[in-house]
Amino acid sequence: MLRFLNRIATSRWASGPMRAMVPVDALLQRRTMGRLSIGRTVGLHSLLLTTTGARTGQPRQVPLFHVPYGRGFAVIDSNLGADNHPAWSVNLLRHPHATVVTLGKQLPVIARETQGHEREEIWQTILSVSPGYAAYDARCNRNLRIFHLQPAPDGRHTSSTRSPRPRQPTPG
């Protein structure tokens, strides 16, 4: 099933339906504290990321696929192969303190964009799980950002604690 999904999901025509599923997945993850997600039903790791808006300072939530990395998570800003970086990626560059919800747990994290050998190591791990990301990379005219979301050292963060405003999040 995952192999089939990787092939279909990366086609240009699938971008619309996939974007339409993002709010449903966000709601599902919010209601279940990340225990259930559309991605998890096909064997992918999934999380709900809350960032602080780069322009607004307001909390923003987006469901993302991830790969475990170190004690944290690695996420990629593929944006389904679109030429622009997704808002959550821009938000993390401006405000690296964020929150992850997954598997019934909420965890404050600090995001760091990866570079060099570390980025390549994570990229290869991502491709081993979901080779479709190579199609997104080939389709867009930008470098995909890969972030390492590490648990905040003191278990706290400085991003807003207000509830996120409902909006249509941008997928990975």
Side-chain angles (χ1 to χ4, degrees), residues 61-138:
Q61 281 189 326
V62 61
L64 298 172
F65 299 127
H66 73 88
V67 293
Y69 185 71
R71 292 184 38 237
F73 315 91
V75 293
I76 186 166
D77 81 340
S78 68
N79 205 14
L80 299 173
D83 282 336
N84 59 305
H85 291 285
W88 66 262
S89 170
V90 176
N91 294 346
L92 286 180
L93 290 175
R94 174 73 70 84
H95 304 286
H97 293 270
T99 303
V100 165
V101 173
T102 188
L103 300 174
K105 296 178 182 168
Q106 182 172 325
L107 179 68
V109 294
I110 300 174
R112 180 178 52 76
E113 185 177 3
T114 61
Q115 304 291 328
H117 176 73
E118 179 185 38
R119 184 193 184 285
E120 183 59 27
E121 178 183 337
I122 295 171
W123 174 245
Q124 292 306 318
T125 302
I126 289 169
L127 291 179
S128 72
V129 173
S130 188
Y133 279 99
Y136 294 147
D137 185 44

Side-chain angles (χ1 to χ4, degrees), residues 4-5 10 16 21 25 70 96 100 106 111 126 137 140 144 159-160:
F4 173 75
L5 196 73
T10 58
M21 290 175 27
D25 194 38
V100 165
Q106 182 172 325
I126 289 169
D137 185 44
C140 67
L144 302 180
S159 64
S160 176

Side-chain angles (χ1 to χ4, degrees), residues 1 5 8 33 37 39 41 54 61 64 87 98 114 138 154 159 164 166 170:
M1 176 66 155
L5 196 73
I8 297 301
M33 282 289 293
S37 75
T41 63
Q61 281 189 326
L64 298 172
T114 61
D154 60 1
S159 64
T170 305

